[in-house]
Structure formats: structure tokens, C-alpha cells
Amino acid sequence: MEAPRNEFKHRLLAGETLDGLWLSLASPVASEALSLIGFDWLLFDTEHAPVDLGALQPLLQAAAAGPSSAVVRPAWNDKVLIKRALDIGAQTLLIPFVETAEEARAAVAATRYPPQGIRGVAGGTRASRFGLTSDYFEVANDQIAVLVQIETRAALERLEEIAAVPGVDGVFIGPSDLAASMGHLGRTGADEVQSVLRDTAALIRAVGKAPGILATNPTDARRYRDWGYQFVAGAVDLGLLLKGAQATLAEMRKAG
Ligand SMILES: O=C(O)C(=O)C[C@H](O)[C@@H](O)CO
């Protein structure tokens, strides 16, 4: 049996635009159901969702029911969290709060086996199909995609050097944290923030890397795509659930 190939990475490097959904519900049932909708990728958040690494594995197993690629955000740019997410079978990682090229290099190194990096070696993990694959160690390094998340003004100032780090495949903008760092906490729609978001996609592309971003509704998602973002999460699952529930309740209570 061959080791799994990273479809997200191959499609991203081929220049495809990839539509995603951000998952924070921490529910295997929701993960499985949403994997069947047709999104190109699903983001599994362990930074701001109540998901530890033990709970991540059932989410990834459930989402394997559908064709969407899994992207995992470790809680921090930490070599142990990264190693454990990879062992669980994540092939694409979104690394939060990268502010320097050095931090980006550390993130990439944490995802690679020696001699390219420092990832620890385990034989029977979900990543290698529990050791049943014949070629896991030969192909693993090349099948990992690293997306670094830029979410502060300081990181923006070093955007080009961060994006240029070998092994960084994409640069993802976190609008909420970036807005906060710019003095617009809770206001991603502020003109100054939107203007930076508009310019940043082109800067990332100029370095030859794929720009990505999180939107919380399809209107914003389309605008970001039009600005050049190549992988865009168009909503958060929890937000969709609440919006649907609120709309249903409002409809039910309409005067007959
Ligand atoms: O800065 C951002 O935007 C993010 O990093 C995403 C947030 O963590 C959050 O909105 C995810 O639910």
C-alpha cells in the first residue's frame, strides 16, 4: 500500500483556487457530514476550538468519509504539537502566529524528517497507515504542506522574507488578529484593515507563494478571491449553525 499523497498541496501548487470551511465545532458527526458537501478543504482548529490532539484523530477519521482535504491548525508553532498532528495523519498544517522568517523555518523543520528537519520518527502511526505503507518515509517530507499564518503588524512588515522561506507553501492571513494588532479589535471590516488585506494577496503572490484567508461569509469570501486569495475559508461551522438556528426561530415566530 502506498502512503497517502497530499491532494491539497498538489492542487495549491498547480494554482487551483480552493474553497474551504473552518471547523470549530469539535464534532465527529459534523466533520463527517461536512466532508460530504464538496468543500476543497476543511480546517480543523485546535488553537481556538476545544480540541486537543486526542480529540483531533476522530475528527480526521470522520472527515475521511468525504473528498475534502484536511488542514490542521496546531495550537501554536511548536515542534511537539506539529509532530503529533503529523503522526495523527495531518499532511497540511496551518501554523499560527508566525512573525519572523526564523519562526517559519522552525515550523518547516518541525514537519520534515532528518536530514531536512527534526521530525521524530514513529513506525505505526495513522500517518503511515499504521506502518502498512511501503513508502511512507520516502515520500513523507514532500507530501507535507506548510501554511504560515500572519496575524500581526510586525509579521506584515516581514511578509516577503517569511513567505520566501523554502518549504512554506502558503501564507494565510488571520483577519481578526491582524485587525486587533492594527488597533481595530473586532472590526475586520475597518477600511484600514480591508485595504491591507487587499494589498497583501499580491505581495504574497509576488514571492511565488499561495495567499489564503478566512472569511466569515460568502460575500467576503468572493471579494477576497477577487483580490487574489487562492485558498479561502468561506465560513465557520459554528457560525453557520447559529445563523441557521436563528433564522429558523425567527421564521417560526413570524406572525401567521
Ligand atoms: O485572526 C484570525 O482571523 C484567526 O486566526 C481566526 C480566528 O482564530 C477565529 O476567527 C477562528 O474561529
Side-chain angles (χ1 to χ4, degrees):
M1 180 192 320
E2 285 197 338
R5 275 24 182 194
N6 185 342
E7 202 188 334
F8 178 93
K9 179 171 183 171
H10 293 295
R11 294 178 69 190
L12 197 72
L13 296 186
E16 275 189 58
T17 299
L18 301 174
D19 301 322
L21 182 68
W22 191 279
L23 304 195
S24 52
L25 277 176
S27 152
V29 174
S31 299
E32 182 175 11
L34 292 169
S35 80
L36 303 169
I37 296 289
F39 285 98
D40 297 309
W41 55 284
L42 301 176
L43 183 288
F44 294 86
D45 189 17
T46 72
E47 184 189 2
H48 282 298
V51 179
D52 59 23
L53 283 160
L56 177 64
Q57 179 156 318
L59 298 180
L60 296 181
Q61 287 169 324
S68 307
S69 298
V71 178
V72 169
R73 179 164 78 166
W76 194 243
N77 182 6
D78 173 273
K79 59 185 183 225
V80 176
L81 293 179
I82 290 173
K83 168 175 63 181
R84 298 193 68 205
L86 295 174
D87 281 351
I88 285 170
Q91 289 185 302
T92 301
L93 297 182
L94 174 61
I95 309 295
F97 212 86
V98 171
E99 286 200 297
T100 65
E102 196 46 48
E103 289 171 5
R105 272 192 287 277
V108 172
T111 67
R112 289 348 194 227
Y113 287 126
Q116 287 91 348
I118 56 158
R119 178 179 174 190
V121 180
T125 61
R126 183 166 180 267
S128 64
R129 299 277 198 260
F130 307 100
L132 296 172
T133 52
S134 52
D135 58 348
Y136 183 71
F137 291 130
E138 286 78 59
V139 304
N141 282 358
D142 284 344
Q143 297 306 316
I144 303 300
V146 175
L147 314 170
V148 293
Q149 188 168 350
I150 298 293
E151 37 193 342
T152 61
R153 231 190 239 281
L156 264 188
E157 282 161 17
R158 296 188 276 260
L159 180 68
E160 279 93 347
E161 55 192 89
I162 293 171
V165 168
V168 167
D169 300 293
V171 178
F172 186 89
I173 307 300
S176 298
D177 285 303
L178 183 60
S181 154
M182 294 172 66
H184 297 288
L185 177 61
R187 294 190 304 276
T188 56
D191 288 347
E192 191 193 2
V193 177
Q194 288 293 307
S195 151
V196 165
L197 297 182
R198 193 183 50 237
D199 297 344
T200 301
L203 296 175
I204 297 167
R205 281 183 180 270
V207 185
K209 300 296 168 75
I213 195 166
L214 169 62
T216 50
N217 60 72
T219 308
D220 286 355
R222 277 197 304 271
R223 186 174 67 257
Y224 294 152
R225 204 181 49 208
D226 291 347
W227 289 348
Y229 286 93
Q230 195 189 333
F231 60 108
V232 179
V236 178
D237 58 356
L238 179 60
L240 293 177
L241 180 67
L242 293 180
K243 261 187 227 154
Q246 282 169 328
T248 298
L249 182 61
E251 194 64 27
M252 286 167 69
R253 289 188 173 163
K254 259 190 194 162

